[in-house]
Amino acid sequence: MLSIKDLHVNVGDKEILKGISLEIHAGEVHAIMGPNGSGKSTLSQVLAGRDGYEVVSGSITYKDQDILALSPEERAREGVFLALQYPVEIPGVNNVYLLKAGLNAIRKHRGLSELDAFEFLTLIKEKMKLMQMDESFLNRGVNEGFSGGEKKRNEILQMAILEPSLALLDETDSGLDIDALKIVANGVNSLRSPERAILMVTHYQRLLDYITPDYVHVLAGGKIIKSGDKSLALELEKRGYDWLTHPQSQKGTTTGAIGA
Amino acid sequence: MSAAPHSLSESASVMRMRAAFEQHNGANIPLRQAAFATFSRAGFPTPRDEQWKYTNLRRLESREFTVSHPDAPYTSVIFKPANVYPLVFIDGYYRPELSTPPTSSAVKITSLLSLQQSDPQQFATFSDIQTDQSSSMTALNTALMTDGIMIEAADNATLDQPIFLTFLWSDTELNLMAHPRIVIRTGKHAHLTVIQHYLDTGSTSHFNNSVTTVQLAAGSKLEHCLIQNENNHSFHVSQIHAELAQDSTLTNHHFNFGAALARTDINALLKGPEAKAILNGLQFATGHQHHDTHLQVEHCVPHTQSHEDYRGIADQRGRIVFNGKVKVHEKAAKTDAQQSSRNLLLSSTAEIDAKPELEIYNDDVKCAHGATIGQLDANALFYLRSRGLDEQQARALLTHAFANHIITQVPVPEMRQQLTETSHVRFGAQLEYMA
Ligand SMILES: Nc1ncnc2c1ncn2[C@@H]1O[C@H](COP(=O)(O)OP(=O)(O)O)[C@@H](O)[C@H]1O
Ligand SMILES: [Mg+2]
């Protein structure tokens, strides 16, 4: 579904991603872990089409097309969804209307009929129940005055409604207490299916107790320095990143590509 | 008796106004003659005048505008929100047959033109407020005043619904001009809501030169809206001169949406302690539109407050000017004056000039001001697009959200709805996706 090959990305003159390769197939859940500043958010933003990042070399192929040629909205309509690490507050733009506009744009692109107000409300209420969100959120501005945890839940609510093929979750677990984490994990798990792929960026292994990944990658200094299965996350939990990023232990690192 | 002697240096545009004045039914009234003399001496304001630095009336002056007449036929539907007392003006003339004034005896509504005929002495008091010296455009209004309305609220008067003044144009092809005058006087502790709505859905160029004077007695409150939605070929100059006594509050919501050129002056004199002026406004200029608002608040006595919250949006070749002058007199200790001017520049060919101007002669004051000019938030734009909205739709949504901050403060729900729709149309957005 997603194939990243030797991706180099600059911000200004600074090289942030230094040759990332990653294969993700439908049905898989991948976790990317790594220290702060290693380039995790950069990777997810580049995948979603955020401008300001210069792809110097390498390629990203999604569903057999060059994703780099597509605008953010075209990617969204093709099924890419990014839950942001820092969801944006947009006072004055209504939460429901954003979702309805987004969903209908995506449905239209897929040749489906647009939902009317009633159908949409029925859908959103069902999904809000899943996310245990109060209906009062409906008529507020996008993320306006939401707490950190509420913003993250709202991201997953959006994902549940837009039903992407490729979900990118950037530190969706950070700032959540254990109850909220379970709700978010439940929302993500309910979306797991053989047709979908999930790439989740996280700092802590805690999230992986609730969403079991098929693969775990360690991103440090703009490179994937180790890949493995769920046990890698547990090892990281125990030993931290130092044994991987420390010069002496770097000799033993593996390449980033998993599966072929 | 004739107006001031015709000066040799009188410009062609002033001469055209003189010709209009001489045919006018008020030409023999001394008050009007004096006003015309004031106008003729000063002429139209020019960019040499600091207060008109960015706004040139050359285009207006080069046109010929015909004086409008009462009783022009009007057949189109009249927009009015639900639950208001509509007072309708066509071409600057009050039309009782199209209007529904309040029936309460505590609020008196009088047409100035009918007063000019029935009670010249009472009529002469309409310009009691000292304004003519300050502005040649006010003087021109006094001289050429088509008609107007005096709204007088008795002590403690309140109304169950807002008064809705709507200024429309008849469907003639003529380039008409109108000089309407609105006089609002509240008695002690009276509460009023008055909306002045200028609307032109046609495409003939008009010139509207409107003056509103407001006198608020102690403890009274006026909630006032000035909504300018003329057609994009027209010229609109409007002024509000307000005087606030002790404990009175003026809240104004001002919208410049339409016209090729619109200039608004809002002057508020805070003359009694605890007097408060709240001035909110939104200007949106696109195409070749030019919108200029000058605010001037004078804190004359101790313990007075002013709050200014203005937003401007300029797109395409639009031009926005905002000037917020706050003057704190020497004896006006404990003044609290807050001013915010936030502006969105949506294209590289648009232009915005936003300037606070503080003149403070007392040290014991709290004055804050901030003026910003920026672009749409790139993070927000990306966020909306990443949810599937196309770029144009995302921009329209964010622009509307920026404007909405001012719109939501309007106290009349139906009017808010109308303003929202107007802003959608002007921002080119799809209605159903707005907050
Ligand atoms: N827009 C930007 N401008 C400048 N530097 C940036 C920008 N975005 C990211 N960086 C830098 O790139 C590196 C990686 O950042 P990021 O992708 O946010 O890391 P992570 O998400 O892994 O914490 C950091 O050193 C950060 O300072
Ligand atoms: Mg990050």
Side-chain angles (χ1 to χ4, degrees):
Chain A
M1 172 174 299
L2 181 72
S3 171
I4 305 174
K5 294 217 165 76
D6 195 28
L7 184 70
H8 290 256
V9 172
N10 283 14
V11 174
D13 288 339
K14 194 173 157 200
E15 188 177 33
I16 312 279
L17 300 183
K18 303 172 180 170
I20 302 250
S21 296
L22 190 63
E23 290 285 334
I24 298 180
H25 298 110
E28 294 175 355
V29 174
H30 290 237
I32 292 192
M33 304 185 72
N36 268 330
S38 56
K40 304 184 298 295
S41 291
T42 302
L43 177 62
S44 47
Q45 301 258 344
V46 168
L47 288 170
R50 179 73 209 254
D51 57 10
Y53 298 95
E54 187 198 349
V55 176
V56 180
S57 62
S59 66
I60 306 175
T61 312
Y62 166 73
K63 288 186 178 170
D64 300 324
Q65 50 179 331
D66 173 17
I67 205 181
L68 293 171
L70 303 180
S71 67
E73 58 269 35
E74 287 166 329
R75 297 182 201 197
R77 292 169 192 177
E78 289 289 337
V80 177
F81 178 88
L82 168 63
L84 278 90
Q85 180 173 6
Y86 303 108
V88 188
E89 288 199 28
I90 316 180
V93 175
N94 183 294
N95 234 346
V96 185
Y97 284 126
L98 165 60
L99 276 172
K100 183 160 175 257
L103 178 63
N104 279 336
I106 291 167
R107 287 180 64 92
K108 207 168 146 193
H109 178 77
R110 294 180 188 160
L112 300 169
S113 68
E114 297 188 19
L115 294 190
D116 66 28
F118 179 77
E119 293 166 320
F120 182 75
L121 218 59
T122 313
L123 173 70
I124 197 169
K125 284 188 173 161
E126 173 203 321
K127 301 294 184 188
M128 287 186 89
K129 218 172 275 162
L130 172 74
M131 294 312 296
Q132 301 187 19
M133 282 171 80
D134 194 277
E135 281 181 21
S136 66
F137 284 98
L138 284 177
N139 292 312
R140 285 171 53 187
V142 174
N143 292 319
E144 188 181 4
F146 287 24
S147 72
E150 286 165 349
K151 284 179 186 166
K152 297 296 173 89
R153 261 197 258 183
N154 198 30
E155 294 292 283
I156 303 306
L157 171 73
Q158 294 178 0
M159 181 178 82
I161 285 171
L162 301 180
E163 301 191 313
S165 322
L166 174 66
L168 311 165
L169 312 178
D170 190 357
E171 300 214 16
T172 301
D173 53 330
S174 62
L176 295 183
D177 61 32
I178 195 70
D179 292 332
L181 184 72
K182 284 180 185 164
I183 293 167
V184 162
N186 185 33
V188 175
N189 284 329
S190 71
L191 224 75
R192 284 183 84 151
S193 87
E195 295 82 45
R196 280 197 187 102
I198 296 172
L199 177 66
M200 48 187 184
V201 165
T202 179
H203 210 65
Y204 310 100
Q205 105 87 23
R206 179 174 87 132
L207 177 69
L208 309 183
D209 289 340
Y210 299 96
I211 309 171
T212 315
D214 301 302
Y215 300 99
V216 174
H217 313 274
V218 179
L219 181 62
K223 284 184 173 162
I224 292 179
I225 57 168
K226 192 168 179 63
S227 294
D229 60 14
K230 188 178 170 352
S231 63
L232 176 56
L234 293 168
E235 195 168 357
L236 288 169
E237 169 93 332
K238 249 184 271 152
R239 301 175 62 187
Y241 293 108
D242 269 4
W243 62 283
L244 282 173
T245 54
H246 196 272
Q248 268 119 344
S249 52
Q250 252 181 21
K251 289 178 206 123
T253 57
T254 61
T255 70
I258 277 277
Chain B
M1 183 169 163
S2 83
H6 181 163
S7 132
L8 283 175
S9 63
E10 212 166 66
S11 70
S13 57
V14 172
M15 276 161 66
R16 273 201 292 275
M17 289 299 156
R18 176 179 293 281
F21 177 67
E22 280 164 1
Q23 292 166 22
H24 193 270
N25 72 359
N28 59 354
I29 295 173
L31 172 74
R32 295 207 193 219
Q33 290 169 346
F36 193 83
T38 301
F39 169 74
S40 136
R41 266 193 309 276
F44 282 95
T46 72
R48 281 194 303 276
D49 177 345
E50 183 63 25
Q51 295 305 306
W52 289 78
K53 191 167 150 192
Y54 298 109
T55 298
N56 199 326
L57 294 181
R58 213 174 37 222
R59 261 197 302 167
L60 163 68
E61 288 186 65
S62 68
R63 308 270 177 109
E64 202 156 335
F65 291 99
T66 311
V67 184
S68 61
H69 292 282
D71 305 318
Y74 188 87
T75 49
S76 309
V77 177
I78 295 171
F79 162 78
K80 48 193 173 223
N83 309 317
V84 295
Y85 294 111
L87 306 181
V88 178
F89 290 75
I90 308 293
D91 301 341
Y93 289 93
Y94 177 54
R95 298 290 282 268
E97 81 279 13
L98 302 172
S99 305
T100 314
T103 44
S104 158
S105 59
V107 179
K108 203 168 117 199
I109 308 275
T110 322
S111 144
L112 288 177
L113 199 58
S114 63
L115 206 58
Q116 176 177 308
Q117 280 139 18
S118 66
D119 189 349
Q121 240 166 350
Q122 170 71 11
F123 170 74
T125 69
F126 83 85
S127 71
D128 267 358
I129 203 161
Q130 285 300 302
T131 55
D132 289 6
Q133 285 78 5
S134 63
S135 156
S136 64
M137 298 309 285
T138 301
L140 183 65
N141 173 283
T142 303
L144 284 176
M145 191 189 80
T146 34
D147 193 356
I149 276 283
M150 209 186 280
I151 300 171
E152 292 166 294
D155 289 354
N156 303 309
T158 56
L159 276 183
D160 53 342
Q161 303 183 143
I163 295 174
F164 179 73
L165 306 169
T166 184
F167 299 84
L168 306 161
W169 297 97
S170 59
D171 6 271
T172 156
E173 298 285 293
L174 288 172
N175 297 118
L176 296 177
M177 65 174 168
H179 301 264
R181 186 72 163 242
I182 310 305
V183 179
I184 303 172
R185 292 176 185 150
T186 58
K188 289 179 184 145
H189 303 284
H191 286 199
L192 275 189
T193 301
V194 177
I195 300 164
Q196 274 174 239
H197 189 234
Y198 298 83
L199 180 65
D200 187 358
T201 51
S203 56
T204 306
S205 178
H206 296 123
F207 170 34
N208 214 333
N209 177 38
S210 163
V211 174
T212 301
T213 61
V214 174
Q215 281 164 289
L216 299 187
S220 67
K221 282 190 167 51
L222 175 66
E223 194 82 51
H224 185 254
C225 301
L226 182 68
I227 301 163
Q228 184 275 110
N229 204 3
E230 306 274 11
N231 80 52
N232 284 8
H233 305 278
S234 290
F235 298 85
H236 186 100
V237 177
S238 63
Q239 306 179 52
I240 299 176
H241 302 279
E243 291 184 3
L244 285 75
Q246 179 170 354
D247 291 314
S248 67
T249 303
L250 167 69
T251 307
N252 178 264
H253 309 269
H254 167 225
F255 296 86
N256 259 338
F257 282 125
L261 184 152
R263 160 73 181 230
T264 310
D265 282 85
I266 301 178
N267 301 328
L269 284 177
L270 306 179
K271 298 176 97 172
E274 307 299 340
K276 184 173 182 179
I278 301 168
L279 307 178
N280 301 327
L282 172 69
Q283 308 197 85
F284 177 67
T286 186
H288 286 83
Q289 288 183 293
H290 180 116
H291 291 157
D292 176 353
T293 293
H294 271 63
L295 306 181
Q296 179 168 331
V297 177
E298 289 194 43
H299 295 262
C300 309
V301 299
H303 294 283
T304 54
Q305 287 181 53
S306 62
H307 282 262
E308 298 172 5
D309 190 355
Y310 260 72
R311 293 196 171 192
I313 304 168
D315 200 0
Q316 298 177 15
R317 298 190 159 273
R319 183 78 193 270
I320 298 279
V321 181
F322 173 79
N323 189 287
K325 180 170 176 180
V326 172
K327 183 170 175 181
V328 179
H329 288 242
E330 201 177 332
K331 59 181 178 186
K334 308 286 180 201
T335 285
D336 180 352
Q338 313 290 327
Q339 183 185 94
S340 154
S341 161
R342 293 186 55 190
N343 299 278
L344 261 187
L345 195 58
L346 296 180
S347 97
S348 58
T349 47
E351 203 178 323
I352 298 177
D353 294 282
K355 191 171 124 221
E357 204 183 323
L358 303 179
E359 245 183 75
I360 301 174
Y361 299 101
N362 186 300
D363 292 334
D364 184 15
V365 298
K366 210 168 84 190
C367 290
H369 62 87
T372 60
I373 299 176
Q375 268 108 45
L376 290 176
D377 177 7
N379 289 325
L381 208 50
F382 171 69
Y383 191 74
L384 297 178
R385 295 176 70 190
S386 76
R387 297 320 183 228
L389 278 68
D390 66 40
E391 186 176 1
Q392 197 249 329
Q393 200 182 353
R395 285 184 174 278
L397 255 172
L398 291 177
T399 307
H400 172 73
F402 180 82
N404 207 34
H405 170 78
I406 302 296
I407 295 174
T408 51
Q409 298 180 58
V410 171
V412 183
E414 293 86 355
M415 206 61 236
R416 274 203 299 276
Q417 181 62 29
Q418 168 72 8
L419 288 164
T420 303
E421 284 169 23
T422 302
S423 95
H424 293 162
V425 171
R426 295 210 170 251
F427 304 147
Q430 276 173 273
L431 241 179
E432 58 164 328
Y433 296 136
M434 299 302 175

